[in-house]
């Protein structure tokens, strides 16, 4: 659906995007991760023909961008940074105008399509009040509705969760999963790890304009071959598993063992009281931190404007439950 | 790739601008060629163009440097600054000249012996019966053909004629003729006329004083074409809400009828006296051609008032053993007011003659014994 | 796209407020003139203002002369300067282009919307001022000056005939041209339409400059101010004798030429040049806007 080759964009001497080879396959829910300033927005804009690449190639829906952007764009629904609308017009009028402005939106089906899109984003009952009276969340939903009006094959969403409350984020996520299962490819960029890991099937990580990682989420989160054990009898377990314990932190042990069930049976068999036992999987956060430079807590900050966040331990011995629903910010973002 | 396209687009735009900017320059640089004519032949052709019917738009730019005179605003506007004129001429005595300003116009019609004046400011159409023998300059005097033919006639056959390089005037190639006045007393250094070589219609006239390289008067057509006379244009009509009045010609009658009928000498400063205009025997006209001046004699108070006005308008005192005088000097026109000690009269001398000539004439008048026709 | 732009233009309160303000100025002037009967001396001040006391039907011409120097260019510069920069600031530009709308198409649609605005404003001024003129200042009145019964002439000069001095009034609401000749209602309508066309085209030059600047900057006010600065600069040079060489090419040089529509016969010279120079400005600045906008990165 989206392929870029050696895509580079320079603004003057600043390299915003550097030799990016993006690949989004049909049916993907692709999440592009990166803090603000990492080149996400520039990359998204290049995909939509708004910003022209300095070098490299872009193919979207089989069309070369920007040369044949006019052929690809009618099938793409886009949300680019914040949503925007004419503030003195109602939400419906805004959708009508945008739909009438370009090709690929039949006039006969316009009203039905607009109502359908509004219903999907939860604005079905919206009245005629002008957009300037909308809350931030309503605007975000309206922007999403605008992207859905033409029933696109590809959704390109830049920070779709902005301004939404947890309930709203959940709604949007469910909507995107539903659309995806109906065949819509979803490409979203975000600086929120949680949003991406909860929604996406494939992940790309952008750091200082470079695509440092592009992998399916399942592959990233496969077991590490270690087991996390919590037990009051830590000393005994330590003695029992001599040589296999990689770390100990009070009652918490990290044991090198590919088989948690077997380990559990062995510990219980030896009379060690196991409070909890789990296979260790890497979290997305850990992966991201790893690929963006070990020991760096300034992901993409580059000495920039982002305030330094408190240091975190990247150690795998402090397992963080996979965050769901709430946004865990990438450090330094 | 996009850079290449951007560069290409900007090249198209900049190239288009360059072409557009060059067009006027190229147009004015086109060589002008006119058929070969002798100066005399060109002069004859210009003089023969008088009956032509034409319509056009002309602008004159004059810098006579006249002081602003109360009651003569129209005259000073005409002789100092730009005058925009629309001209239609069917015949030498059937024409219309509109003097345009941004938001108004003053139109002058001549239909045989009757003239009409329309002033859009006062919304008044005035019928002028008869033609004055003596009058002040009017806008129609500045229309290039009228001015050129008048100057050629005044210069007379003794003036030196020479050809000038052709110029493009009002989009036409025009042959140039230079006239240098025969009399060294004239303030006019040279008169340059450019005329259509085929019809002789003068398109551009420049008058230069002896002392300056910048024309004191420059008048030219910016647009001109032959015209099939259209009575609808030459006939004055007035719309609703306008006024109408009738006057008799001569804007100078009131002044000239109050002159003292002083007996003037037969020659002044070496220039002979010529016949006075009809009905104005008191006016002395001296010299000839492009070196002419007039002498008017004002009585008592009027003359002294004029003298004081001229002084306060910036005139220079003249020292003369027999009288007190003021000289007002402009590139083309000189004017002297001379009040002899022995008389209550004041002489006004004005014309296209040099300061020295006019001063000598004034001195001669001041020294002349009083010979009033009526006596004192 | 053009329909969308027109819809946006006329659904925008600003459009109506601006047009209302432009129409209000002549109305205020008319009220003062009608109550005080004080007008600038003929040939000075605003064009035709002295004539309207005698004939309210000429008030559209006077009203256009009132709004042309400042009100209209400011309004046009604001609308045109806002056209691209305003969408960029509001964020809607990126959605329009991603919709997709061709960039050249967008520019043309914006220009057409500006033309529609100019026409709307001028026609509104013309109609409201005609109503104002007839209702407040009243229809033709006889002149107060120089009326000499019995000697008046009307229609054409027939020496000795001396028709009724008010015969010109019977021509059915005719007005007097600057050249004194009466204009029939049909002629007046033609000339007012010509004036509207000429002023519209004059404003297009302003619009093209503002539109170009609007593609350069993301600040709508900046674009409008830039265009106005150009106009003010041009006005200064037009009055400066030393700049005579460049004067024929200045955008405001022929702005007043529409007055020539009210001469009899019409003086086409400056009108033609005015049309020509505005066409050149529109082509050049639209070309520059096209070259700039079509290859520009949209980062707002």
């Amino acid at each position: 659906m989206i392929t870029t080759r050696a895509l580079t964009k320079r603004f003057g001497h600043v390299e915003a995007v550097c030799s990016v080879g993006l690949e989004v396959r049909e049916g993907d829910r692709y999440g592009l991760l990166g803090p603000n300033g990492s080149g996400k927005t520039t990359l998204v804009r290049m995909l939509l023909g708004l910003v022209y690449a300095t070098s490299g190639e872009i193919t979207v829906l089989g069309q070369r961008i920007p040369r044949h952007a006019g052929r690809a764009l009618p099938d793409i629904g886009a949300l680019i940074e914040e949503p925007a609308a004419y503030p003195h017009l109602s939400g419906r009028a805004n959708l009508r105008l945008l739909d009438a402005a370009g090709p690929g939106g039949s006039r006969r089906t316009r009203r039905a399509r607009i109502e359908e899109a509004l219903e999907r984003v939860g604005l079905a009952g919206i009245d005629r009040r002008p957009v300037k009276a909308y809350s931030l969340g309503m605007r975000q939903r309206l922007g999403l509705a605008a992207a859905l009006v033409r029933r696109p094959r590809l959704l390109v969403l830049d920070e779709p969760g902005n301004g939404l409350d947890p309930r709203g984020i959940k709604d949007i996520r469910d909507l995107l999963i539903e659309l995806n299962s109906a065949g819509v490819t979803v490409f979203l960029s975000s600086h929120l790890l949680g949003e991406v890991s909860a929604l996406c099937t494939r992940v790309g990580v952008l750091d200082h304009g470079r695509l440092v990682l592009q992998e399916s989420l399942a592959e990233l989160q496969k077991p590490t071959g270690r087991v996390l054990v919590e037990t009051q009898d830590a000393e005994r377990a330590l003695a029992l598993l001599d040589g296999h314990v990689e770390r100990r932190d009070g009652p918490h042990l990290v044991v090198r063992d590919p088989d948690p069930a077997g380990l559990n049976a062995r510990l219980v068999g030896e009379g060690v009281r196991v409070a909890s036992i789990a296979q260790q999987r890497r979290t997305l956060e850990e992966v991201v931190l790893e690929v963006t430079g070990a020991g760096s807590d300034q992901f993409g900050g580059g000495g920039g404007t982002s305030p330094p966040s408190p240091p975190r331990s990247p150690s795998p011995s402090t397992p963080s439950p996979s965050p769901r629903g709430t946004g865990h910010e990438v450090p330094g973002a | 790739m996009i850079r290449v396209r951007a560069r290409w687009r900007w090249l198209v735009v900049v190239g288009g601008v360059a072409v557009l900017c060059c067009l006027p320059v190229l147009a004015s640089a086109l060589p002008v060629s006119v058929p070969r004519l002798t100066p005399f032949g060109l002069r004859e052709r210009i003089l023969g163009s008088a009956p032509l019917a034409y319509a056009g738009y002309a602008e004159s730019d004059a810098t006579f440097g006249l002081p602003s005179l109360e009651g003569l605003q129209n005259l000073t506007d005409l002789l100092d600054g730009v005058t925009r004129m629309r001209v239609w001429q069917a015949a030498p005595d059937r024409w219309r000249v509109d003097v345009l300003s941004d938001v108004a116009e003053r139109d002058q019609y001549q239909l045989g012996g009757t003239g009409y004046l329309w002033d859009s400011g006062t919304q008044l159409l005035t019928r002028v019966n008869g033609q004055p023998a003596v009058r002040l300059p009017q806008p129609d005097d500045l229309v290039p053909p009228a001015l050129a033919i008048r100057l050629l006639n005044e210069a007379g056959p003794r003036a030196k004629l020479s050809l000038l390089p052709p110029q493009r005037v009002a989009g036409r190639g025009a042959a140039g003729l230079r006239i240098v006045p025969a009399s060294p007393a004239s303030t006019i250094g040279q008169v340059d006329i450019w005329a259509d070589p085929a019809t002789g219609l003068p398109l551009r006239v420049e008058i230069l004083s002896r002392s300056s390289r910048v024309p004191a008067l420059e008048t030219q057509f910016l647009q001109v074409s032959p015209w099939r006379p259209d009575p609808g244009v030459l006939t004055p009509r007035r719309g609703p809400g306008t006024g109408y009045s009738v006057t008799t010609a001569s804007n100078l009658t009131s002044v000239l009828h109050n002159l003292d009928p002083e007996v003037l000498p037969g020659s002044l400063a070496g220039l002979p006296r010529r016949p006075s205009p009809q009905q104005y025997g008191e006016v002395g006209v001296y010299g000839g051609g492009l070196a002419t001046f007039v002498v008017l004699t004002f009585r008592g108070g009027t003359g002294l008032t004029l003298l004081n006005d001229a002084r306060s308008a910036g005139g220079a005192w003249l020292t003369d053993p027999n009288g007190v005088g003021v000289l007002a000097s402009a590139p083309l026109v000189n004017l002297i007011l001379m009040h002899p000690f022995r008389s209550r009269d004041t002489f006004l001398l004005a014309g296209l003659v040099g300061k020295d000539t006019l001063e000598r004439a004034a001195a001669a008048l001041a020294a002349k014994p009083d010979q009033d026709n009526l006596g004192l | 796209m053009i329909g969308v732009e027109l819809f946006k233009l006329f659904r925008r309160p600003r459009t109506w407020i601006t047009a209302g303000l432009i129409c209000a100025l002549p109305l205020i002037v008319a009220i003062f003139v009608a109550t005080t009967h004080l007008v600038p001396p003929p040939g000075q001040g605003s064009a035709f203002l002295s004539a309207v006391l005698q004939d309210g039907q000429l008030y559209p011409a006077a009203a256009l002369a009132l709004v042309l120097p400042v009100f209209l260019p400011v309004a046009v510069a604001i609308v045109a300067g806002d056209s691209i920069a305003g969408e960029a600031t509001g964020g809607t530009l990126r959605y329009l282009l991603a919709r997709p709308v061709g960039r050249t198409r967008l520019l043309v649609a914006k220009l057409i919307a500006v033309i529609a605005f100019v026409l709307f404003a001028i026609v509104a001024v013309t109609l409201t001022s005609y109503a104002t003129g007839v209702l407040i200042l009243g229809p033709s009145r006889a002149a107060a000056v120089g009326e000499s019964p019995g000697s008046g002439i009307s229609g054409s000069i027939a020496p000795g005939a001396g028709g009724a001095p008010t015969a010109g009034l019977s021509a059915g609401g005719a007005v007097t041209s600057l050249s004194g000749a009466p204009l029939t209602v049909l002629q007046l309508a033609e000339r007012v339409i010509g004036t509207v066309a000429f002023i519209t085209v004059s404003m297009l030059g302003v619009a093209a400059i503002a539109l170009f600047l609007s593609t350069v900057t993301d600040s709508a006010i900046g674009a409008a101010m830039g265009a106005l600065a150009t106009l003010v600069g041009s006005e200064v040079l037009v009055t400066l004798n030393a700049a005579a060489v460049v004067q024929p090419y200045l955008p405001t040089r022929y702005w007043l030429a529409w007055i020539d529509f009210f001469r009899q016969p019409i003086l086409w010279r400056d009108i033609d040049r005015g049309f020509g120079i505005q066409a050149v400005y529109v082509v050049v600045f639209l070309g520059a806007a096209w070259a700039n906008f079509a290859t520009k990165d949209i980062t707002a």
Side-chain angles (χ1 to χ4, degrees):
Chain A
M1 297 297 268
I2 304 176
T3 317
T4 70
R5 249 201 333 201
L7 187 60
T8 301
K9 175 66 186 178
R10 270 190 292 270
F11 292 109
H13 292 293
V14 181
E15 213 159 50
V17 172
C18 180
S19 195
V20 166
L22 204 62
E23 187 169 5
V24 180
R25 301 180 199 127
E26 180 141 23
D28 274 353
R29 297 198 298 269
Y30 190 105
L32 183 68
L33 265 174
N36 297 333
S38 61
K40 271 182 310 174
T41 298
T42 303
L43 182 55
V44 167
R45 282 170 186 258
M46 280 195 284
L47 298 181
L48 297 172
L50 296 176
V51 167
Y52 296 112
T54 309
S55 64
E57 286 176 11
I58 308 171
T59 313
V60 176
L61 295 178
Q63 304 290 347
R64 294 290 300 276
I65 305 287
R67 182 172 297 264
H68 298 305
R71 291 190 211 154
L73 287 173
D75 287 327
I76 301 177
L79 186 64
I80 312 152
E81 289 184 282
E82 322 92 68
Y86 301 108
H88 55 282
L89 297 175
S90 71
R92 274 195 185 78
N94 265 293
L95 295 187
R96 245 193 339 265
L97 276 183
L98 191 63
D99 195 55
S106 154
R107 183 193 293 257
R108 278 187 300 117
T109 60
R110 186 170 298 152
R111 183 179 293 269
R113 285 184 290 118
I114 288 172
E115 289 309 318
E116 181 194 320
L118 285 173
E119 195 177 339
R120 284 210 133 139
V121 300
L123 288 176
I126 195 73
D127 49 21
R128 293 169 55 88
R129 79 176 98 156
V131 170
K132 63 182 164 211
Y134 281 22
S135 68
L136 197 57
M138 286 167 76
R139 286 181 203 208
Q140 192 72 23
R141 286 166 190 262
L142 183 66
L144 207 57
L148 296 177
V149 165
R150 273 166 313 286
R151 299 167 182 147
R153 288 166 56 202
L154 171 65
L155 274 175
V156 176
L157 308 174
D158 196 5
E159 310 280 359
N162 271 1
L164 291 177
D165 52 21
R167 178 80 234 160
I169 290 178
K170 171 87 168 62
D171 287 350
I172 298 300
R173 192 191 314 137
D174 292 347
L175 170 64
L176 291 182
I177 290 172
E178 182 194 329
L179 286 167
N180 181 245
S181 60
V184 178
T185 307
V186 176
F187 174 92
L188 71 86
S189 83
S190 179
H191 62 276
L192 300 177
L193 280 163
E195 201 172 300
V196 170
S197 68
L199 174 67
C200 295
T201 56
R202 265 165 69 78
V203 177
V205 177
L206 209 55
D207 179 31
H208 289 99
R210 289 171 191 277
L211 191 66
V212 291
L213 179 81
Q214 184 168 241
E215 195 59 84
S216 77
L217 196 65
E219 183 67 25
L220 289 175
Q221 296 186 331
K222 70 179 184 203
T224 57
R226 295 178 185 83
V227 177
L228 307 174
V229 178
E230 186 185 359
T231 171
Q232 297 100 311
D233 309 324
E235 295 300 331
R236 287 191 53 200
L238 207 57
L240 192 69
L241 302 171
D242 183 35
H244 289 274
V245 177
E246 290 197 343
R247 269 197 72 151
R248 182 192 164 186
D249 185 7
H252 299 282
L253 301 178
V254 179
V255 183
R256 189 161 13 88
D257 193 322
D259 178 17
L263 179 66
N264 192 21
R266 202 169 138 210
L267 287 172
V268 172
E270 294 294 330
V272 175
R273 291 168 295 172
V274 176
S276 75
I277 186 163
Q279 198 170 39
Q280 188 196 41
R281 286 171 188 271
R282 290 199 302 168
T283 63
L284 191 55
E285 179 179 351
E286 287 156 9
V287 175
V288 165
L289 287 173
E290 191 177 289
V291 296
T292 55
S296 163
D297 59 346
Q298 289 268 40
F299 179 31
T305 52
S306 50
S309 56
R312 297 174 168 237
S313 133
S315 151
S317 70
T318 47
S320 45
S322 184
R324 288 206 149 244
T326 54
H328 257 200
E329 288 233 350
V330 171
Chain B
M1 49 198 170
I2 200 70
R3 299 275 156 264
V4 175
R5 217 155 53 143
R7 205 168 299 153
W8 173 76
R9 290 186 179 208
W10 275 112
L11 268 180
V12 168
V13 172
V14 170
V17 172
V19 167
L20 284 171
C21 290
C22 286
L23 281 180
V25 178
L26 286 179
S28 62
L30 276 180
V32 186
S33 74
V34 294
R36 279 207 66 79
L37 286 166
T38 61
F40 187 75
L42 184 56
R43 175 180 184 273
E44 291 307 302
R45 211 165 268 202
I46 292 173
L47 288 174
S49 73
L52 284 179
Y54 62 86
Y57 173 83
E59 282 186 9
S60 84
D61 188 356
T63 42
F64 274 67
L66 292 183
S68 67
L69 304 168
E70 206 173 325
L72 293 177
Q73 195 57 44
N74 289 343
L75 180 69
T76 42
D77 284 351
L78 201 63
L79 297 182
D80 276 295
V82 176
T83 307
R84 300 164 54 210
M85 294 168 286
R86 294 176 89 183
V87 190
W88 294 267
Q89 173 171 311
D93 63 340
R94 292 181 62 78
W95 45 257
R96 166 178 167 189
V97 175
D98 293 1
V99 177
L100 310 178
S101 72
D102 279 344
V103 296
E105 66 181 62
R106 293 155 46 81
D107 305 351
Q108 193 181 351
Y109 298 81
Q110 192 67 49
L111 298 170
T114 312
Y116 290 92
L117 289 170
W118 160 257
D119 186 337
S120 75
T122 54
Q123 297 275 296
L124 181 64
L125 183 68
T126 311
R127 176 179 162 136
V128 185
N129 290 326
Q131 272 180 311
V134 179
R135 61 170 176 79
L136 291 171
Q138 290 174 357
D140 56 283
D141 296 327
L142 293 182
V143 174
L147 183 64
I149 290 170
R150 173 187 296 251
L151 286 169
L152 272 181
N153 281 329
E154 293 287 341
R158 289 197 302 124
K160 275 180 285 186
L161 301 182
S162 57
L163 283 180
L164 289 168
Q167 275 191 1
R168 190 171 296 278
V169 183
R172 294 152 184 267
L177 180 68
R178 170 163 294 172
I179 307 155
V180 177
S183 164
S186 173
T187 49
I188 295 178
Q190 69 200 44
V191 175
D192 294 347
I193 299 173
W194 282 268
D196 186 273
T199 60
L201 185 72
L203 303 175
R204 175 181 169 91
V205 179
E206 283 182 9
I207 303 177
L208 279 88
S209 71
R210 281 192 192 279
S211 52
S212 169
R213 292 290 89 204
V214 182
L217 175 72
E218 196 180 351
T219 177
Q220 63 173 325
F221 278 118
L222 297 177
Q223 209 173 30
V224 69
S225 56
W227 185 54
R228 211 147 47 95
D230 172 7
V233 170
L234 288 182
T235 316
R237 298 188 305 148
R238 64 187 195 90
T242 54
Y244 182 66
S245 74
V246 182
T247 65
T248 314
S250 181
N251 37 18
L252 289 175
T253 310
S254 54
V255 178
L256 296 184
H257 279 296
N258 282 322
L259 288 183
D260 191 66
E262 170 92 12
V263 175
L264 294 169
S267 88
L268 276 174
L271 296 171
R273 178 163 184 186
R274 292 165 63 195
S276 299
Q278 259 184 331
Q279 299 172 19
Y280 303 104
E282 306 88 343
V283 177
V285 181
Y286 290 85
L290 297 177
T292 307
F293 69 92
V294 296
V295 178
L296 309 178
T297 317
F298 291 97
R299 290 202 190 100
T302 319
L304 288 177
T305 312
L306 278 173
L307 195 73
N308 283 328
D309 288 352
R311 177 71 192 100
S312 49
W317 285 117
L318 279 184
T319 46
D320 190 274
N322 298 314
V324 56
V326 171
L327 166 75
S329 188
L332 282 183
V333 183
N334 287 307
L335 180 147
I336 289 180
L337 284 155
M338 173 58 74
H339 177 71
F341 296 133
R342 44 93 193 154
S343 158
R344 293 190 3 236
D345 292 344
T346 301
F347 297 106
L348 183 152
L349 302 85
L352 302 170
V353 291
K355 253 188 319 200
D356 302 343
T357 312
L358 211 58
E359 275 176 27
R360 274 190 285 132
L365 282 174
K368 179 182 73 74
D370 202 1
Q371 288 181 340
D372 260 0
N373 280 357
L374 305 174
L376 278 171
Chain C
M1 189 59 215
I2 290 161
V4 170
E5 284 304 325
L6 292 180
F7 180 87
K8 282 196 291 206
L9 177 70
F10 287 106
R11 280 294 298 274
R12 204 163 169 176
R14 189 189 65 188
T15 306
W16 297 91
I17 294 171
T18 314
L21 284 177
I22 293 176
C23 293
L25 177 71
L27 182 66
I28 294 167
V29 171
I31 291 170
F32 276 114
V33 166
T35 47
T36 63
H37 282 254
L38 283 175
V39 287
Q44 293 175 35
S46 197
F48 298 109
L49 208 49
S50 53
V52 298
L53 272 187
Q54 283 145 30
D55 191 345
Q57 289 183 86
L58 261 180
Y59 197 59
L64 287 174
L66 285 172
V67 299
L68 181 64
V70 180
F71 267 51
L72 216 45
V74 168
V76 170
I78 288 176
V79 170
D82 185 62
S83 51
I84 299 291
E87 299 262 10
T89 314
T92 42
L93 179 63
R94 54 178 186 260
Y95 287 101
L96 276 177
L97 295 182
R99 168 59 190 86
V101 178
R103 297 189 181 197
T104 310
R105 252 166 82 86
L106 183 64
L107 271 183
V108 172
K110 288 291 185 188
L111 185 76
I112 289 175
V114 174
I115 296 175
F117 171 75
V118 174
L119 263 178
F120 167 69
I122 296 175
V123 169
V125 168
T126 309
L127 294 181
T128 56
S129 60
Y130 184 80
T132 310
V134 173
L135 293 177
I136 298 185
L137 297 164
S140 313
R141 270 167 235 167
V145 285
E147 197 71 48
S148 49
S151 67
I153 44 167
S154 69
S156 61
I157 295 293
T166 53
L169 289 175
S170 61
V175 301
T176 303
S177 66
L178 275 181
S179 306
L183 298 178
T184 63
V185 173
L186 187 68
Q187 280 175 319
L188 180 66
E190 278 170 13
R191 285 157 199 239
V192 168
I193 289 170
T195 302
V196 168
F198 185 81
I199 293 181
T200 305
V201 171
S202 301
M203 288 302 118
L204 280 191
V206 188
I209 295 173
L211 196 59
F212 165 65
L213 292 175
S214 186
T215 66
V216 174
T217 170
D218 284 344
S219 155
I221 282 297
M225 285 299 144
L228 287 178
T230 312
L231 294 188
V232 171
S234 165
E235 283 288 346
V236 168
L237 290 184
V238 161
T239 55
L240 187 72
N241 283 337
V245 189
V246 297
Q247 273 171 5
Y249 312 107
L250 294 174
T252 61
R253 167 63 182 83
Y254 295 106
W255 268 17
L256 285 178
W258 60 273
I259 289 170
D260 294 344
F261 275 114
F262 293 90
R263 305 191 195 275
Q264 178 67 0
I266 297 173
L267 175 60
W268 287 103
R269 183 188 143 81
D270 284 5
I271 295 173
D272 291 344
R273 277 154 197 253
F275 275 121
I277 200 80
Q278 296 301 331
V280 168
Y281 272 94
V282 168
V283 167
V284 166
F285 278 94
L286 268 194
W290 166 77
N292 181 49
F293 185 57
T295 54
K296 187 190 178 193
D297 290 334
I298 306 302
T299 52

